[in-house]
Amino acid sequence: MAKRSNSDMSRRSFIQKSSLATSSILLGSLTAGSKRAESRSANDRLGVAVIGTGGRGNSHLRMLNQLKEDGENIEIVAVCDIYRPRREAAASAYKAKPYDDHHDLLADKAVDVVCIATPDHIHGYQAIDAIQAGKDVYCEKPVTHWRQFDLTKKLLKTVQENDQIFQLGTQAMSDSVWHQMKKMVKEGLIGQPLDGETGFFRIGDWGEREMTIDDPNAIAGKDLNWEAFLGDSPKRAFSVDRFFRWRLFEDYAGGPVTDLYPHCLTQVVDILGVDMPESVVALGGIHRYDYELREVPDTFNLIAQYPEKVTISVLGTQANDFNGGPLRGSGQRCPVIRGWEGSLTISDNNKEIIFTPIREKGAKAPLTVPIETGEDNLKHWQKLLECCRSRNKNSWSPMDLAFRTQTVLQMAMLSNRTKKVLRYDKDTMEIV
Ligand SMILES: NC(=O)c1ccc[n+]([C@@H]2O[C@H](COP(=O)([O-])OP(=O)(O)OC[C@H]3O[C@@H](n4cnc5c(N)ncnc54)[C@H](O)[C@@H]3O)[C@@H](O)[C@H]2O)c1
């Protein structure tokens, strides 16, 4: 496979401050990968590779190892990281082939499935490359960086035009509760869907400020490919903070909006069955963790309105952990799903779905339904592997759902920056 130069990765797809109208991305000219995955039998061994062997990449390696020990027919065949010490540690721990460039890993025939656990702004490019190389993909959330709307569209198109399986790393989607709620909404229990309310409240900036600095004296060079880390972000001189604690910086991250909200918004979009938002408005900022390096918000509230006459709101802060109810999954508050005839939420003991009818004469009867199973990241992996074997593109967190969710988050980030209500034009697929 031809190697792609760094300049390729650095082609800017930013939505510039001056104009929110995104430049045309020539969707039609995208060369779709023509490789077709061969059908695999349930017994075939799948070769799995992890790109990005930092914190999350290592938890994936542990999960994959666990799955293998539990009898999944998989092999961890390769790892890739642009930072040598992490790459070598993972390669030796799992006896996997080390690669310093993801293009080389993707050319490896032993690799069937790749897990992308690099920083946010790298995901989209690597996912496209992986699909075009004929690999199935477990891509960490957020699917792309908040400024990469064009890239998100390109990835959507690539997934649509190819047979490869894609699942986003929103492991909350392995929780049966959301699928049960979705079915209830589809069957008409709440009547005409009206509103989804969700959020993420927690205390602490440890997710950003306390990311591990493996080596305070690290330098860019042959052991640390700074250009590959930068990708399409603005060219900047190497900085230990930027490399190891990238979540503090807008060039690579979006704070809780893109780090945490995919965990609580994805299922609400799915349950309500909404397509693309008509308009999004958001306000947020650094309300508590105001120190020199931090650029990303710690508090952020957004509202998305849909042509289906549905509204979704996501509220959140990293400065208060009162969720007003039980937590579900990765620390997010339980959503409330409202319709013309009643609402769905989760019981205080977190074991049941509660349907509360509207307070009106002749309303439906209240209903309590046990939740079948909870969230389990191993199950999320198993679902992907099962989809890879059966060639079923309908994973628990497929690309079209990732696109619908990420567009809201991208519009929200841009809305807050410009203090404008942003509109999505369905015909042109542009944010205006
Ligand atoms: N689903 C979840 O619950 C969950 C939890 C944690 C992190 N994540 C996601 O996982 C991703 C990684 O987060 P992390 O905390 O592990 O970050 P990290 O910094 O610990 O790890 C990222 C690794 O990617 C490597 N890297 C950077 N650019 C690369 C490139 N071009 N090619 C190959 N390797 C490259 C870095 O050297 C680093 O080792 C993030 O997008 C994050 O949102 C998801």
Side-chain angles (χ1 to χ4, degrees), residues 9 51-57 80-83 86 102 117-120 122-123 126 140-142 169 171 211 228-229 243-244 246-247 259 263 330:
M9 283 277 281
I51 307 178
T53 53
R56 187 60 178 161
C80 169
D81 203 292
I82 47 111
Y83 181 48
R86 287 182 178 173
H102 77 274
T118 45
D120 305 0
I122 305 291
H123 296 175
Q126 292 184 335
E140 263 311 339
K141 41 53 57 179
Q171 64 271 16
M211 288 179 81
F229 169 88
F243 179 66
F244 288 107
W246 54 267
R247 274 195 194 77
D259 196 29
H263 286 306
S330 328

Side-chain angles (χ1 to χ4, degrees), residues 334-375:
C334 290
V336 180
I337 307 292
R338 296 186 178 86
W340 289 12
E341 296 177 39
S343 308
L344 291 176
T345 191
I346 295 169
S347 60
D348 285 343
N349 68 8
N350 221 333
K351 292 189 171 149
E352 289 136 358
I353 299 171
I354 306 278
F355 167 68
T356 309
I358 50 160
R359 276 181 278 176
E360 202 175 64
K361 219 170 155 213
K364 287 177 172 161
L367 188 69
T368 301
V369 176
I371 297 171
E372 288 159 13
T373 59
E375 172 182 326

Side-chain angles (χ1 to χ4, degrees), residues 405-418:
T405 307
Q406 185 69 357
T407 302
V408 171
L409 301 175
Q410 288 172 330
M411 288 172 74
M413 284 294 283
L414 296 167
S415 165
N416 181 47
R417 293 165 77 80
T418 55

Side-chain angles (χ1 to χ4, degrees), residues 7-17 19-25 121 124-125 128 144-154 231-234 410 414 430-431:
S7 61
D8 241 3
M9 283 277 281
S10 65
R11 238 187 278 124
R12 303 273 163 89
S13 62
F14 297 0
I15 296 176
Q16 299 290 357
K17 310 164 225 130
S19 160
L20 287 170
T22 49
S23 58
S24 118
I25 63 158
H121 64 296
Y125 292 101
I128 290 173
T144 49
H145 184 271
W146 59 265
R147 68 179 134 72
Q148 293 172 328
F149 178 58
D150 285 349
L151 182 69
T152 322
K153 289 196 284 191
K154 193 170 169 183
D232 73 359
S233 71
Q410 288 172 330
L414 296 167
E430 296 291 349
I431 297 169

Side-chain angles (χ1 to χ4, degrees), residues 43-341:
N43 298 324
D44 282 349
R45 197 200 66 173
L46 294 175
V48 188
V50 174
I51 307 178
T53 53
R56 187 60 178 161
N58 272 287
S59 28
H60 281 299
L61 286 163
R62 283 191 294 275
M63 284 189 264
L64 290 162
N65 204 41
Q66 172 78 52
L67 285 169
K68 192 186 157 192
E69 281 175 7
D70 293 348
E72 265 297 337
N73 196 4
I74 55 170
E75 200 68 54
I76 300 170
V77 289
V79 290
C80 169
D81 203 292
I82 47 111
Y83 181 48
R84 187 177 57 81
R86 287 182 178 173
R87 176 173 71 243
E88 286 183 353
S92 99
Y94 296 96
K95 299 189 176 43
K97 196 164 175 193
Y99 288 98
D100 60 4
D101 182 324
H102 77 274
H103 299 98
D104 295 334
L105 178 144
L106 294 175
D108 185 335
K109 289 199 165 42
V111 177
D112 299 302
V113 185
V114 290
C115 171
I116 298 170
T118 45
D120 305 0
H121 64 296
I122 305 291
H123 296 175
Y125 292 101
Q126 292 184 335
I128 290 173
D129 288 346
I131 289 160
Q132 292 185 341
K135 314 297 183 189
D136 296 324
V137 175
Y138 183 122
C139 178
E140 263 311 339
K141 41 53 57 179
V143 64
T144 49
H145 184 271
W146 59 265
R147 68 179 134 72
Q148 293 172 328
F149 178 58
D150 285 349
L151 182 69
T152 322
K153 289 196 284 191
K154 193 170 169 183
L155 174 56
L156 174 72
K157 193 162 165 61
T158 306
V159 172
Q160 285 171 342
E161 288 181 345
N162 288 274
D163 292 336
Q164 271 59 52
I165 315 299
F166 178 97
Q167 182 168 270
L168 194 67
T170 45
Q171 64 271 16
M173 294 305 287
S174 63
D175 191 334
S176 74
V177 69
W178 317 125
H179 305 281
Q180 292 178 259
M181 282 186 169
K182 181 179 179 178
K183 189 161 175 273
M184 288 163 148
V185 170
K186 212 170 172 186
E187 288 171 355
L189 182 64
I190 65 167
Q192 177 69 35
L194 183 68
D195 172 72
E197 186 192 314
T198 188
F200 212 115
F201 293 84
R202 77 176 184 198
I203 296 182
D205 63 340
W206 36 268
E208 298 90 29
R209 183 147 59 169
E210 290 174 25
M211 288 179 81
T212 316
I213 295 185
D214 297 17
D215 176 7
N217 301 313
I219 50 166
K222 68 176 175 34
D223 291 343
L224 191 166
N225 185 343
W226 178 237
E227 283 299 309
F229 169 88
L230 286 176
D232 73 359
S233 71
K235 297 288 161 228
R236 293 190 195 274
F238 175 74
S239 136
V240 163
D241 285 314
R242 282 180 176 269
F243 179 66
F244 288 107
R245 296 193 169 156
W246 54 267
R247 274 195 194 77
L248 287 166
F249 304 93
E250 285 191 325
D251 287 346
Y252 327 112
V257 187
T258 46
D259 196 29
L260 304 179
Y261 294 0
H263 286 306
C264 62
L265 178 60
T266 304
Q267 55 271 53
V268 174
V269 168
D270 198 38
I271 292 167
L272 285 163
V274 284
D275 192 7
M276 298 303 284
E278 178 178 85
S279 37
V280 174
V281 64
L283 288 170
I286 301 177
H287 292 191
R288 169 145 185 205
Y289 300 109
D290 197 356
Y291 42 81
E292 201 194 330
L293 289 181
R294 188 181 179 106
E295 296 174 356
V296 294
D298 56 36
T299 300
F300 199 93
N301 302 316
L302 74 90
I303 300 179
Q305 185 153 292
Y306 290 83
E308 295 94 329
K309 298 195 191 303
V310 168
T311 303
I312 294 180
S313 50
V314 188
L315 311 180
T317 180
Q318 289 174 261
N320 185 302
D321 62 352
F322 180 73
N323 275 274
L327 299 183
R328 188 102 199 151
S330 328
Q332 71 263 23
R333 80 189 239 179
C334 290
V336 180
I337 307 292
R338 296 186 178 86
W340 289 12
E341 296 177 39

